[in-house]
């Protein structure tokens, strides 16, 4: 009788854990995605014009170490959750992709390229 009781308790516990895990996991993933979007938006929006110009210049020179240092300076102000520090490179790369498609940023890069071309011609 005791064995059946413990088996019953084990089955009930397994069901409860399964239900809680199913209920919590989607909310956690959704919450993480939301905070990641907030952090990525912050990384792109809170860059000063000077930061954007530096990033454009570093990108044109393929100096990605310096480019990431600019994002690294802003990241602590933008991180919403502690676990984002483990995914910092991934979040900064997402911000870089968004910034790369920004029309004003593209103009900065084009201006840098034109300036570099005219300097090389002389």
């Amino acid at each position: 009788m005791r064995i059946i009781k413990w088996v019953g308790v084990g089955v009930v516990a397994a069901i409860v854990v399964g239900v809680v895990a199913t209920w919590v996991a989607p909310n956690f993933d959704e919450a993480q995605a939301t905070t990641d979007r907030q952090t990525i938006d912050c990384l792109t929006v809170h860059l000063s014009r000077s930061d954007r110009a530096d990033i454009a210049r570093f990108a044109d020179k393929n100096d990605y170490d310096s480019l990431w240092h600019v994002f690294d300076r802003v990241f602590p102000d933008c991180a919403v959750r502690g676990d984002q520090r483990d995914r910092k490179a991934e979040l900064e790369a997402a911000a870089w992709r968004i910034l790369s498609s920004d029309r004003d940023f593209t103009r900065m890069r084009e201006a840098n390229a034109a300036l570099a071309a005219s300097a090389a011609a002389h």
Side-chain angles (χ1 to χ4, degrees), residues 54-64 66-67 109 112 116:
D54 287 344
I55 290 172
R57 190 174 63 255
F58 296 142
D60 290 338
K61 293 179 182 179
N62 293 324
D63 182 359
Y64 292 102
S66 297
L67 181 149
R109 291 197 65 186
N112 285 344

Side-chain angles (χ1 to χ4, degrees), residues 13-82:
I15 291 171
V16 168
V17 167
V19 168
V20 169
T22 302
W23 177 70
V24 171
N27 291 336
F28 175 79
D29 290 343
E30 185 177 319
Q32 184 176 22
T34 299
T35 56
D36 285 356
R37 278 191 299 277
Q38 290 171 343
T39 299
I40 292 165
D41 289 345
C42 178
L43 285 169
T44 56
V45 171
H46 284 88
L47 292 171
S48 68
R49 181 133 178 98
S50 174
D51 289 337
R52 287 173 175 250
D54 287 344
I55 290 172
R57 190 174 63 255
F58 296 142
D60 290 338
K61 293 179 182 179
N62 293 324
D63 182 359
Y64 292 102
D65 289 336
S66 297
L67 181 149
W68 296 124
H69 287 302
V70 176
F71 280 113
D72 289 346
R73 283 195 318 262
V74 178
F75 187 82
D77 295 333
C78 293
V80 177
R81 296 167 39 146

